[in-house]
Amino acid sequence: MSIDLETCRAIIAAVRAEGEARRLKPLTVAVLDAGGHVVAVEREDGASMSRFEIAFGKAYGALALGMGSRSLMARAEQQAYFVSAVGAAIGGALVPVPGGVLVRTADGELLGAVGVTGDSSDNDEAAAVAGVAAVGLVAQAE
């Protein structure tokens, strides 16, 4: 099973609503399926350049290593050479800071990942988690 377009759009809408409610800076949201393919992405007006690549890298890195990007950050702090090598191995698509969460069903099945960027990494992650929860799925941030 993989994540469908309508669910991805609903996640993005919920992430953006959370960002508005929290008065976050303009966000960019990328939703990938379990194979790392982009299903949907939106960049809010005023978002700075290269935000797609950052959102994608947060989500793709989470998928590549099977953990949320908060855990990737901790791993990078402990094993910098490993995380650097993984980033090189996957073409640089690895941004090991909070804001990338895995998307799972209640049973734990992996559906994809969401990457959010634009505000602080902690706020990006909070918006991603809220967006996933809004559609009845489970966000794995760690």
Side-chain angles (χ1 to χ4, degrees):
M1 184 174 175
S2 194
I3 195 162
D4 62 68
L5 179 59
E6 290 309 312
T7 301
C8 293
R9 287 177 172 162
I11 289 170
I12 290 171
V15 168
R16 293 185 61 211
E18 183 72 10
E20 186 176 331
R22 290 173 171 258
R23 308 184 109 193
L24 302 183
K25 295 176 184 173
L27 300 177
T28 299
V29 186
V31 186
L32 314 183
D33 66 16
H37 303 97
V38 175
V39 179
V41 64
E42 285 192 20
R43 178 185 163 276
E44 291 184 327
D45 294 341
S48 60
M49 62 180 281
S50 300
R51 289 296 177 175
F52 166 77
E53 292 83 0
I54 297 167
F56 177 80
K58 288 181 179 187
Y60 195 84
L63 285 168
L65 290 174
M67 63 183 74
S69 60
R70 179 174 293 280
S71 291
L72 291 177
M73 182 176 72
R75 185 111 186 239
E77 290 169 348
Q78 297 169 358
Q79 298 178 310
Y81 292 118
F82 172 75
V83 172
S84 178
V86 170
I90 63 172
L94 178 83
V95 179
V97 296
V101 301
L102 297 174
V103 179
R104 296 189 180 275
T105 65
D107 298 349
E109 180 182 356
L110 179 66
L111 299 179
V114 176
V116 178
T117 185
D119 203 273
S120 72
S121 295
D122 289 337
N123 285 338
D124 293 344
E125 179 183 83
V129 169
V132 173
V135 300
L137 295 171
V138 177
Q140 180 187 335
E142 298 283 334

